[in-house]
Amino acid sequence: EDFEAETKSRGEELAAIAKAKEVIKDNVSGAEGLSYSLVQVERSSSAITSKAALSRYEAVRLVRDLAKKHGSAALAQLATRLGTAMGEDQFGKVKALIQDMIERLEKEADADAKKKAYCDTELSETYEKKADKTAEIEKLSTQIDKMGARSAMLKEEVAALQKSLAELAASQAEMDQIRREEKAAFASNSADMKQGLEGVKLALKVLREYYAKEDKAHAAAEGAANGIINLLEVVESDFTRDLAQMTSDEESAQAAYEAQTKENEIEKVTKEQDVKYKTKESAELDKAVAEASADRAGVKEELAAVEEYLQKIEKECVEKAETYEERKARFEAEIAGLKEALQVLNQETAFVQKASTRHLRAVSLHRHA
């Protein structure tokens, strides 16, 4: 707003001077016109110098305002140097200082943009590597946990199978013992039973043959004899029945023993195979767990290296006080402000050169007149 007001004020001043010049030209005589023309030329030269100084001071003000707005020590130093150059009244030096600062800021902005691109690439790649390594560790950990759990379960199953096999072996041994005892008892009892049966049969034969004789020398007691024979026949029948039952029981016990023994043998073979394969699988899983654990340890080392580099690159690249966007905007504003100041000086240079040319031409004409 101050710049616009000053510009407007200078414009009004120039307009007033132009109008005064026109009035003098229209109302003063030739001689006086000649005399005043010389004075006007001299004053015009002074006005040109004053206007040029105002432009230079305006350029300094723009640079100083930029320094204050963005807190730039470099721009503040430039404003001071421009002020010194103002005292020397050197347009070229002032413009050179501003142009140097513009080039410096443009280089800084370019370097900052390249650094931003480098940081974006490095950070993106490093974050991706960290995520990949973390995911790989999690995957390996899941595999290790699953394989470890499976191996532990197999070991428990093997232990249970081995316990069952031991119980089966003990049961079979007990069955074998009982069967041997039963078989021995049958052999002994059946022999006694057969011997008794043979004795009864033999007694019956003797009695029957005796009482069947016709030439007995005395009167036999056939009634009592019949009673004895009948009793022996009952004993024979009982012995025969008991021997048959004994034999049947032995055969049934032997058949049951053989069937159970066969079943136990099948169960034993099946469980022994289970123990074999489960033990093998458990051992393979333990080996796989060891290999996966080694792989995970290696990946953890890689992750540690990635995280170490990430800390370094974050320290280097992650903005603390001012973001890249903020720095970019500041660079652009400073460069634009300096270019504006340079434009003011360039316009004033052109104006001064044109006015100086008119001034020199007027002086030359005046001298020739």
Side-chain angles (χ1 to χ4, degrees):
E1 293 178 358
D2 293 340
F3 174 70
E4 292 177 355
E6 291 175 5
T7 302
K8 182 179 180 182
S9 177
R10 287 199 300 272
E12 292 174 351
E13 178 185 2
L14 292 173
I17 292 172
K19 185 174 181 180
K21 178 181 177 182
E22 185 178 355
V23 170
I24 292 172
K25 181 179 180 181
D26 292 341
N27 295 283
V28 178
S29 63
E32 292 172 342
L34 181 60
S35 177
Y36 283 115
S37 176
L38 180 59
V39 173
Q40 181 185 6
V41 168
E42 293 172 351
R43 289 180 178 176
S44 176
S45 176
S46 176
I48 292 169
T49 302
S50 297
K51 190 170 185 298
L54 282 173
S55 295
R56 290 194 295 272
Y57 283 121
E58 179 63 24
V60 173
R61 185 188 68 79
L62 286 171
V63 175
R64 188 181 296 114
D65 288 348
L66 281 173
K68 183 177 180 181
K69 180 178 181 180
H70 298 289
S72 173
L75 289 176
Q77 184 180 6
L78 175 62
T80 301
R81 294 179 66 188
L82 290 177
T84 303
M86 294 302 177
E88 299 171 1
D89 195 21
Q90 298 179 9
F91 257 121
K93 186 174 182 178
V94 171
K95 290 194 292 183
L97 289 173
I98 294 176
Q99 185 61 43
D100 288 345
M101 178 56 72
I102 290 174
E103 291 174 359
R104 174 184 168 185
L105 289 174
E106 287 176 340
K107 288 180 180 179
E108 289 180 3
D110 182 62
D112 199 51
K114 290 179 180 178
K115 181 65 178 294
K116 176 65 166 52
Y118 163 79
C119 286
D120 286 347
T121 300
E122 289 299 309
L123 285 171
S124 176
E125 292 179 352
T126 306
Y127 284 136
E128 184 176 355
K129 286 180 182 178
K130 180 181 178 182
D132 290 344
K133 296 301 178 185
T134 301
E136 188 174 356
I137 289 172
E138 291 177 353
K139 181 179 179 181
L140 286 170
S141 296
T142 300
Q143 291 176 348
I144 290 169
D145 292 342
K146 289 177 66 176
M147 291 188 295
R150 172 66 178 167
S151 178
M153 184 183 70
L154 288 171
K155 288 182 173 70
E156 291 178 358
E157 291 177 354
V158 167
L161 285 168
Q162 289 174 336
K163 180 181 178 182
S164 179
L165 284 168
E167 293 173 350
L168 183 64
S171 175
Q172 184 64 44
E174 184 179 1
M175 282 175 53
D176 292 345
Q177 180 63 29
I178 292 172
R179 180 87 283 269
R180 282 194 296 270
E181 292 175 356
E182 289 178 345
K183 190 172 183 179
F186 169 75
S188 175
N189 293 335
S190 65
D192 291 344
M193 187 64 69
K194 286 178 180 179
Q195 184 179 354
L197 182 60
E198 289 299 323
V200 170
K201 285 182 178 181
L202 181 59
L204 283 172
K205 179 180 179 183
V206 170
L207 290 173
R208 285 174 181 151
E209 287 178 351
Y210 174 77
Y211 287 109
K213 288 179 178 181
E214 296 293 335
D215 57 345
K216 292 188 289 289
H218 67 284
E222 293 184 3
N226 288 332
I228 293 172
I229 290 173
N230 289 334
L231 177 61
L232 288 175
E233 288 176 346
V234 170
V235 171
E236 180 187 19
S237 175
D238 289 343
F239 280 7
T240 301
R241 182 198 65 209
D242 291 344
L243 179 60
Q245 183 64 48
M246 188 182 298
T247 302
S248 176
D249 290 344
E250 169 62 16
E251 290 175 351
S252 296
Q254 181 64 29
Y257 166 78
E258 290 176 355
Q260 186 63 50
T261 298
K262 185 175 182 180
E263 183 178 334
N264 288 349
E265 185 63 26
I266 293 172
E267 182 179 354
K268 177 185 176 184
V269 171
T270 301
K271 288 184 176 181
E272 284 177 342
Q273 288 296 313
D274 283 347
V275 167
K276 177 182 176 180
Y277 290 121
K278 289 179 186 293
T279 301
K280 180 182 178 182
E281 183 181 356
S282 177
E284 290 173 349
L285 285 170
D286 290 343
K287 182 181 178 181
V289 166
E291 293 174 351
S293 297
D295 292 342
R296 182 175 63 179
V299 177
K300 282 184 176 180
E301 290 180 1
E302 294 174 1
L303 177 61
V306 170
E307 288 177 336
E308 182 180 356
Y309 178 72
L310 181 60
Q311 289 180 350
K312 176 184 175 183
I313 201 69
E314 282 181 338
K315 185 177 181 181
E316 179 182 354
C317 293
V318 175
E319 292 87 2
K320 297 299 188 293
E322 187 180 32
T323 65
Y324 168 73
E325 287 71 18
E326 291 171 342
R327 288 197 305 275
K328 181 181 178 183
R330 174 171 59 80
F331 278 134
E332 290 175 350
E334 291 176 355
I335 292 171
L338 289 172
K339 286 183 177 179
E340 182 181 355
L342 190 60
Q343 184 179 8
V344 169
L345 292 175
N346 286 334
Q347 290 175 347
E348 190 55 36
T349 299
F351 173 77
V352 170
Q353 289 175 348
K354 188 182 294 183
S356 296
T357 300
R358 289 199 302 269
H359 168 64
L360 292 174
R361 189 182 295 117
V363 171
S364 177
L365 291 172
H366 174 68
R367 287 178 178 174
H368 285 85

